[in-house]
């Protein structure tokens, strides 16, 4: 019975979340056209809305730990669900993502994503994608702020091991910027697939930054160890024992 009730609550939450995306997108459409600041404000408003509605519709609260960066850095989070996209973006002042090229055609997400400075890449052409990421960022086509790139490239469920992609290391070397790893346990409550969202507290933890200057292999090893160790700890804290 409790499962059925939570499933229905999750369905309602999911539906209103996408309706709210459209409504907030329309409200901030003119400000977004006039200035990237308008698009950023709209995206932050949506993050606040999702966090608030998740807390009382499905009983999923969010806790942000660590020091969220406000300077020019790369942010490298663990990616487990759509919620980590929103909560990490909402915690920093001017984030922009490296995202799949197809997303630029998605309603609201694509238009606002491009307006806030997100960089679309074609992941099917790995070498070209890495080169384009580096060129776009170095050429200033990305707006100033915090560049968010998911090191594993896609959503990975808790307990599942997947390789870290070299694109993060290439950007680290070329941009010569600090990298802020981010761990999370949100996948325990918000699975990669399906309707059900579980109640609890999803934690997003900004970890100590990795300063520039390491060799790429050493950087990638440190990044993976830092994120995976912290995420495993947060998963256990949330009751996950897989």
């Amino acid at each position: 019975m409790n499962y059925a009730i939570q499933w229905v609550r999750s369905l309602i939450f999911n539906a209103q979340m996408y309706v709210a995306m459209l409504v907030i997108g329309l409200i901030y459409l003119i400000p977004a056209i006039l200035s990237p600041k308008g698009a950023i404000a709209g995206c932050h408003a949506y993050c606040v809305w999702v966090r608030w509605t998740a807390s009382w519709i499905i009983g999923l609260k969010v806790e942000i730990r660590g020091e969220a960066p406000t300077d020019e850095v790369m942010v490298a989070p663990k990616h487990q669900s759509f919620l980590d996209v929103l909560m990490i973006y909402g915690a920093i002042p001017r984030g922009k993502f490296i995202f799949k090229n197809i997303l630029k055609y998605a309603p609201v997400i694509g238009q606002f994503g491009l307006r806030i400075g997100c960089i679309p890449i074609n992941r099917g052409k790995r070498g070209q994608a890495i080169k384009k990421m580096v060129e776009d960022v170095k050429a200033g086509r990305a707006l100033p702020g915090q560049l968010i790139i998911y090191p594993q490239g896609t959503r990975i469920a808790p307990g599942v091991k997947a390789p870290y992609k070299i694109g993060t290391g290439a950007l680290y070397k070329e941009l010569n910027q600090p990298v802020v790893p981010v761990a999370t346990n949100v996948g325990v409550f918000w699975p990669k697939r399906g309707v059900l969202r579980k109640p609890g507290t999803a934690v997003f933890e900004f970890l100590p930054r990795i300063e520039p200057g390491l060799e790429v292999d050493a950087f990638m090893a440190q990044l993976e160890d830092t994120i995976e160790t912290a995420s495993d700890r947060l998963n256990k804290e949330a009751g996950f024992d897989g």
Side-chain angles (χ1 to χ4, degrees), residues 76-78 151-152 161 164 179-184 205-211 214 217-235:
K78 183 74 173 175
Q152 291 173 293
K161 299 302 179 183
Y164 277 54
V179 174
V180 179
V182 185
T184 187
E205 184 172 349
F206 289 89
L207 303 166
R209 59 182 61 196
I210 302 173
E211 297 296 336
L214 296 176
D217 288 348
F219 162 74
M220 292 299 298
Q222 182 175 340
L223 181 70
E224 180 173 355
D225 180 68
T226 299
I227 293 175
E228 293 301 310
T229 300
S231 293
D232 287 345
R233 168 174 51 81
L234 295 178
N235 290 339

